Each structure stands twice: as structure tokens, then as C-alpha cells.
Amino acid sequence: MADPDTRYVLVTKDINMRLKARACGIDSEDYHNDQLVSDIKQLTRGYFEVPGSFWDQVTEVDTEQVGAETLHRLPHGLVVGDILGEEVYPNQYILDEHGFVGRILSVEGGVVTLRHHKAETLMEQQAWGLRPMNIQQAVALQLLLDPDIHLVTLTGAAGSGKTILALAAAIEMTVEQKRFNKIIATRSTPPLAEEHGFLPGTEEEKMDPWLGAINDNIEALHLNDENPSGSILYVKERANIQFKALNYIRGRSFQQSLILIDECQNLTPHQMKTIVTRAGAGSKVICLGNLAQIDTPYLNPVSSGLTYLVERFKEFPHGGTIHLEGSPRSAISEYAEIHL
């Protein structure tokens, strides 16, 4: 017999089970051990927007020219306490209204080191013919193309450019720069991917319905070519793009590969760890997701593996996160994201 003086709590991620328990008078709660934040507003966007001029608020700085780079070293208390009002981490950006862009290189010994950039210079970057459409895309593209960054996470609304930016950078680094031998594309497949076995064809053909976004964006990058279909086949072959199902990725190790994970918001923290740890020597991981579009019934924005990854890797010196704003895809896409 249960002790009437002891409080019992049913812990489950099944919302329906918690509702049934409540109806029966049983205390129940969600499983919170893998939840690192209580509100996704606490997640880093990867950049800080400073009104006016950033330098008007700086009272102490040590500037040094190192080769072609300009480095600024500022007191940690000034940056965090007086200007930004929150903690900073490596590979975040400071943007002001006068075109200054400062990338945080390190936070140590009470000093924040910034690398000086100009917004107009970043906007002139391109990858596989694609140029950024706003400053958030520009700083994201810089992280994607940086050989010292091994993990990039892009979040944002539908149509904000996450997939096409990541894919353009992936093709550029694989085909032109030859930094990677292949592109591994994968994504979560809700409902759980047991259905793969019933689909005809090879593993790539089975994954094709789930990875249509990758194909769509390859097509978008070559719409203006004389022979778009020929260009698409050429890119797929030269970039060695391989589609992999999450079910079959455990135990694998991808060397010298660019691993592109789409729809990360539908992954659990355990699944996220499983796939990120597949990255071998010389590999880079790009994670894409929109926390407003979670399709898995046992996940919410706070418990999503994408949230878990962003929070766990915020201090990683070889990683960066950018939240993309707006919806450059189309006017209807942007209106739907806001109003539906």
C-alpha cells in the first residue's frame, strides 16, 4: 500500500498522460532534467544590436593591428555591464546603426577581444554565387565559411534563408575550396522513421521525400543557368551530396565531411548528441531549425534538441549561432509567419 503521507508525482513527457493523471487527481509534471532554459527568449541570437554608435558608449579600449586585422580589447565589465547588459561568448557579433560589426573572438581574463568588420564589406561576401540579403545573413555566412568554426547553428523563421545559405556555403567549400570530400545531408523524419523500410529504392531514394528542401535550394541556386538541370546534376556529383537517414547514422564516423542537419527543432537532445558526435577529423556540422515549427508531440521549444545544442555550445570557441530575421523568401511567406 502507498503511504498516504508521501507525495507521488508522475513524470512523463506525454502530454496526454499528464492530462489523464490530472483528471484522476494525480500530480504530474514534465521531465525537465534536459531543459537548460525556461524560456527560449533566453537563448542567444548570436548578435547584439546597439542603437546609434557603439563607440559613443566605449570609454576604454586598447586597439591593435595584427596583419590585416584590427583587434579591439575592451574591459568585460564595460561591454557586459554598461553597453550590452548581458553575458557575451565567442563568435557573437555586435552590430550598430553606423555600419560597425564587431566579432567577439575571446572572453578571458576580464577582457573582451573584438575583431573589427564593416557591414558593407560583409554584405559583399558570396558563396556559390549567393550574396546575403541582410546583415544577419552576412554574419551567418562569415561563420559558415570560416575554417576555424566547426559547428554553426542557424535558427529563424520559415523563409529566412537558413537552408539556402548553408547549402551555398557547403557547395562553395566542397567544390571550389575542396575543404571537404562530401556533403552529408540528413534531418529528422517525424513521425519516427520506421516507414523508411517500406519506401522503394536505395537509402537516398527513401530519404528524398524528406530532404526535398535540399533539392529545392540546389535548384534555386541555379535558376538562372542556361541548363539548370545539368547544373544541378553537376553540383550533386561534384559536391558528392549524400542523403542519410538518422536511423542508420549511429556508429558512423564521417571524416573530412560537411554534415548538414535540417529541421533540428524536431530532434531530442539525445538524437542531437548522436548525430553531432558523428563528425570526424576535418569535418564541419551545420544545424538548421525553426523552434516555431516543432512537429514532434513530445517536444516543445524549451526541450528541443536544437535549444539544448545552442545552450550547451555557447561557450565553444569553434562554434557559433545566428538567428536570422525576416523572411526574404516572399511577401506571403513573411506575412504567414507573422499572422498564422
Side-chain angles (χ1 to χ4, degrees), residues 122-171:
L122 291 176
M123 291 295 292
E124 291 173 359
Q125 299 175 103
Q126 65 173 0
W128 204 246
L130 182 73
R131 290 183 181 272
M133 299 181 68
N134 54 45
I135 191 60
Q136 288 82 17
Q137 288 192 1
V139 296
L141 190 57
Q142 186 186 61
L143 287 180
L144 288 167
L145 296 174
D146 190 333
D148 294 325
I149 300 297
H150 308 317
L151 174 71
V152 179
T153 305
L154 300 184
T155 64
S160 58
K162 302 182 297 295
T163 305
I164 197 165
L165 268 179
L167 193 57
I171 296 172

Side-chain angles (χ1 to χ4, degrees), residues 212-273:
I214 303 294
N215 287 318
D216 291 346
N217 282 281
I218 294 175
E219 292 177 11
L221 289 170
H222 297 91
L223 281 177
N224 297 322
D225 292 4
E226 290 185 11
N227 182 10
S229 59
S231 298
I232 292 166
L233 291 174
Y234 169 81
V235 166
K236 283 188 173 182
E237 183 178 336
R238 284 290 306 278
N240 191 13
I241 301 177
Q242 302 177 16
F243 295 157
K244 300 293 181 183
L246 279 177
N247 285 33
Y248 313 130
I249 212 167
R250 182 182 293 278
R252 302 288 300 274
S253 180
F254 299 113
Q255 314 295 326
Q256 211 68 31
S257 304
L258 192 142
I259 305 171
L260 182 61
I261 315 169
D262 201 10
E263 304 292 347
C264 286
Q265 74 276 4
N266 290 315
L267 296 175
T268 66
H270 178 71
Q271 287 174 320
M272 184 65 79
K273 179 179 179 178

Side-chain angles (χ1 to χ4, degrees), residues 4-299:
D5 296 325
T6 301
R7 178 173 178 257
Y8 296 92
V9 179
L10 173 65
V11 179
T12 175
K13 298 198 74 64
D14 189 329
I15 297 174
N16 292 325
M17 177 70 76
R18 295 203 299 271
L19 289 173
K20 290 178 181 178
R22 185 180 301 176
C24 295
I26 301 171
D27 289 340
S28 65
E29 62 182 48
D30 196 358
Y31 177 74
H32 295 294
N33 277 12
D34 56 358
Q35 297 180 14
L36 303 180
V37 295
S38 57
D39 190 332
I40 58 170
K41 292 180 181 178
Q42 299 170 343
L43 281 183
T44 174
R45 294 191 301 168
Y47 57 88
F48 302 92
E49 294 175 303
V50 177
S53 170
F54 171 74
W55 294 110
D56 287 347
Q57 304 179 52
V58 173
T59 56
E60 182 182 347
V61 61
D62 178 20
T63 300
E64 179 185 6
Q65 194 73 28
V66 181
E69 296 182 348
T70 302
L71 303 182
H72 305 291
R73 295 182 177 88
L74 296 89
H76 178 270
L78 173 67
V79 175
V80 173
D82 298 340
I83 301 178
L84 303 180
E86 59 181 285
E87 191 53 78
V88 295
Y89 301 98
N91 300 312
Q92 292 180 320
Y93 289 82
I94 297 175
L95 317 174
D96 76 5
E97 295 177 342
H98 291 199
F100 166 73
V101 178
R103 176 172 165 181
I104 299 172
L105 297 184
S106 65
V107 184
E108 54 188 23
V111 175
V112 177
T113 302
L114 302 179
R115 186 165 67 202
H116 193 112
H117 296 280
K118 292 183 178 179
E120 57 265 30
T121 304
L122 291 176
M123 291 295 292
E124 291 173 359
Q125 299 175 103
Q126 65 173 0
W128 204 246
L130 182 73
R131 290 183 181 272
M133 299 181 68
N134 54 45
I135 191 60
Q136 288 82 17
Q137 288 192 1
V139 296
L141 190 57
Q142 186 186 61
L143 287 180
L144 288 167
L145 296 174
D146 190 333
D148 294 325
I149 300 297
H150 308 317
L151 174 71
V152 179
T153 305
L154 300 184
T155 64
S160 58
K162 302 182 297 295
T163 305
I164 197 165
L165 268 179
L167 193 57
I171 296 172
E172 178 75 22
M173 291 184 288
T174 306
V175 176
E176 290 295 324
Q177 301 177 9
K178 303 189 186 311
R179 282 168 43 192
F180 304 106
N181 296 328
K182 57 190 171 185
I183 297 172
I184 305 294
T186 188
R187 59 164 285 181
S188 66
T189 52
L192 295 176
E194 288 83 1
E195 290 89 342
H196 283 317
F198 298 98
L199 294 173
T202 64
E203 179 184 0
E204 179 172 338
E205 290 169 337
K206 291 175 189 287
M207 285 298 294
D208 192 61
W210 300 110
L211 288 163
I214 303 294
N215 287 318
D216 291 346
N217 282 281
I218 294 175
E219 292 177 11
L221 289 170
H222 297 91
L223 281 177
N224 297 322
D225 292 4
E226 290 185 11
N227 182 10
S229 59
S231 298
I232 292 166
L233 291 174
Y234 169 81
V235 166
K236 283 188 173 182
E237 183 178 336
R238 284 290 306 278
N240 191 13
I241 301 177
Q242 302 177 16
F243 295 157
K244 300 293 181 183
L246 279 177
N247 285 33
Y248 313 130
I249 212 167
R250 182 182 293 278
R252 302 288 300 274
S253 180
F254 299 113
Q255 314 295 326
Q256 211 68 31
S257 304
L258 192 142
I259 305 171
L260 182 61
I261 315 169
D262 201 10
E263 304 292 347
C264 286
Q265 74 276 4
N266 290 315
L267 296 175
T268 66
H270 178 71
Q271 287 174 320
M272 184 65 79
K273 179 179 179 178
T274 297
I275 189 168
V276 171
T277 53
R278 299 307 95 206
S283 290
K284 183 168 189 161
V285 179
I286 302 175
C287 300
L288 314 173
N290 177 9
L291 289 168
Q293 292 187 334
I294 294 178
D295 304 313
T296 306
Y298 302 120
L299 290 178

